[in-house]
């Protein structure tokens, strides 16, 4: 039984999600205490409970009496089974974080899988669905994974109601990958998604991006959505490079000017570009786990977050790897190697 303290390091839900994924794949049970101890509302929120239940569903795991608010959990996995699955968060809690818990594990299933998750698809503190499709999905594909992620319906905070579907084929062994440079820029574009929000909001956001990036109108798009998928607004900036795709986002909020929202996304883009790194802060967090499953990998990252350091600690408790970070100019190098 692997013992984990959820208050370690960053102290958020990533400790739990990474443990669930790796417990399913390795067959090692774990016990975690102080779940999300460093959050304003500690314990399992609805999206975290669904991640636990979903992981139990695909691996026939024993989870005891897990419930919203619980700060301890014991998870004993069985065999990962492919098939058709559907999970409902019931709030605007993140579909993408639940899906990210399941995706690597389903690569080790005995048959192909189709997973549908309903809840939030575009909200703060979680990667948007487009990030999984364009950035995370591209890395997994480069490592040999065969998966397809489809956004069926947007779900903004606080209403939720979104739906995301993933089709995953088993993969015997993920291949190691090095992403030391992003390569030449292939494409760059910005999209402002709006549902039940005035078009002027999107126009102002995109005008800021146009000025900051020196882009032309062909690289800017207003994506109007049906009113019943809102209210909501998400600004996405996508940079496609030779070796990697990055997606940066900011979300509209009540009483927050469009220009302020745009500046949040632009500042992330500028930091990434200036660093010269292959991957950004959030993608770095999420590709460590598949690289560790592959046994090795290296990449440059613009910023090493406490989130990433904590994630590395958890991964090292389940897999025989060592994850190190070393500063290199304006970026850092993350290296994953077999112990």
């Amino acid at each position: 039984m692997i013992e984990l303290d959820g208050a370690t390091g960053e102290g958020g839900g990533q400790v739990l999600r990474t443990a669930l994924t790796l417990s399913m794949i390795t067959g090692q049970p774990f016990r975690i205490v102080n779940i999300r101890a460093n959050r304003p509302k500690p314990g399992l929120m609805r999206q975290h409970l669904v991640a636990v239940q979903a992981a139990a569903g695909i691996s026939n795991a024993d989870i005891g009496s897990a419930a919203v608010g619980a700060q301890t959990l014991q998870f004993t996995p069985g065999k990962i089974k492919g098939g058709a699955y559907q999970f409902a968060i019931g709030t605007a809690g993140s579909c993408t974080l639940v899906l990210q818990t399941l995706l690597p594990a389903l690569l080790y299933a005995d048959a192909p899988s189709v997973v549908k998750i309903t809840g939030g698809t575009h909200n703060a503190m979680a990667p948007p669905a487009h990030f999984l499709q364009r950035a995370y999905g591209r890395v997994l594909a480069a490592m040999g994974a065969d998966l397809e992620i489809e956004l069926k319906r947007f779900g903004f905070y606080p209403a939720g109601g979104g739906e995301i579907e993933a089709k995953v084929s088993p993969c015997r062994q993920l291949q190691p990958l090095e992403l030391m440079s992003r390569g030449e820029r292939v494409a760059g574009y910005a999209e402002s998604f709006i549902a039940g929000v005035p078009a002027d909001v999107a126009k102002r956001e995109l005008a800021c991006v146009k000025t900051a990036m020196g882009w032309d109108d062909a690289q800017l798009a207003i994506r109007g959505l049906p009113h019943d998928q809102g209210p909501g607004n998400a600004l996405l900036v996508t940079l496609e490079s030779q070796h990697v795709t990055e997606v940066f986002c900011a979300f509209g909020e009540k009483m927050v000017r469009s220009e302020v929202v745009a500046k949040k996304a632009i500042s992330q883009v500028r930091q990434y570009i200036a660093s010269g790194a292959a991957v950004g802060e959030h993608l770095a967090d999420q590709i460590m786990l598949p690289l560790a499953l592959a046994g090795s990998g290296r990449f440059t990252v613009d910023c090493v977050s406490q989130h990433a350091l904590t994630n590395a600690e958890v991964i090292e408790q389940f897999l025989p790897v060592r994850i190190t970070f070393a500063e290199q100019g304006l970026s850092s190098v993350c290296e994953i190697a077999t112990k």
Side-chain angles (χ1 to χ4, degrees), residues 14-284:
Q14 187 66 52
V15 175
L16 173 66
R17 288 188 295 272
T18 295
L20 289 169
T21 304
L22 293 178
S23 175
M24 287 188 283
I25 292 169
T26 64
Q28 296 177 91
F30 72 91
R31 182 186 297 112
I32 183 172
V33 298
N34 301 320
I35 295 171
R36 299 181 64 254
N38 296 352
R39 294 293 184 257
K41 292 183 180 179
L44 294 175
M45 298 285 280
R46 178 69 189 157
Q47 72 188 44
H48 306 99
L49 178 60
V50 172
V52 171
Q53 293 168 335
I58 71 169
S59 68
N60 193 31
D62 180 3
I63 58 173
S65 56
V68 169
Q71 296 186 44
T72 61
L73 173 76
Q74 186 165 309
F75 186 88
T76 305
K79 186 179 179 183
I80 302 168
K81 300 285 287 182
Y85 298 99
Q86 190 153 355
F87 305 105
I89 296 174
T91 67
S94 177
C95 291
T96 56
L97 291 176
V98 174
L99 183 58
Q100 276 201 311
T101 305
L102 305 180
L103 278 180
L106 290 172
L107 294 173
Y108 293 80
D110 57 356
S113 304
V114 178
V115 184
K116 293 182 181 179
I117 305 173
T118 55
T121 61
H122 291 74
N123 46 32
M125 306 300 289
H130 294 83
F131 180 92
L132 291 194
Q133 291 172 315
R134 299 170 184 173
Y136 181 71
R138 180 176 176 183
V139 172
L140 286 182
M143 296 178 70
D146 180 5
L147 62 109
E148 181 183 325
I149 300 169
E150 185 179 352
L151 175 60
K152 297 282 194 178
R153 176 186 166 92
F154 280 69
F156 294 101
Y157 178 83
E163 182 178 338
I164 192 168
E165 178 182 286
K167 297 176 181 176
V168 188
S169 296
C171 176
R172 289 184 181 179
Q173 177 63 52
L174 289 170
Q175 300 303 307
L177 183 68
E178 292 200 357
L179 287 170
M180 299 304 286
S181 73
R182 62 182 82 129
E184 292 297 314
R185 175 95 54 88
V186 176
Y189 53 96
E191 301 157 288
S192 181
F193 295 88
I194 50 171
V197 171
D200 186 57
V201 168
K203 289 176 183 175
R204 288 162 55 196
E205 288 175 348
L206 293 173
C208 288
V209 175
K210 180 179 183 178
T211 301
M213 300 299 295
W215 286 353
D216 58 39
D217 290 340
Q219 295 171 277
L220 313 169
I222 297 175
R223 308 286 193 202
L225 304 169
H227 277 50
D228 65 356
Q229 295 190 34
N233 163 234
L235 174 64
L236 268 59
V237 179
T238 300
L239 300 180
E240 283 182 29
S241 299
Q242 189 178 352
H243 306 304
V244 67
T245 298
E246 265 293 5
V247 178
F248 305 91
C249 59
F251 299 96
E253 301 175 57
K254 281 184 179 178
M255 310 304 289
V256 177
R257 289 171 54 81
S258 301
E259 290 77 11
V260 174
V261 174
K263 283 177 182 175
K264 286 182 182 178
I266 291 164
S267 66
Q268 296 173 55
V269 174
R270 282 178 167 165
Q271 176 179 312
Y272 172 69
I273 291 173
S275 73
V279 307
E281 173 185 345
H282 303 301
L283 184 56

Side-chain angles (χ1 to χ4, degrees), residues 306-329:
Q306 184 63 54
H307 206 272
L309 296 172
T310 304
N311 203 21
E313 282 185 39
V314 179
I315 291 168
E316 287 179 341
Q317 295 202 52
F318 284 89
L319 297 173
V321 297
R322 180 173 289 106
I323 302 175
T324 58
F325 299 90
E327 287 188 17
Q328 178 183 280

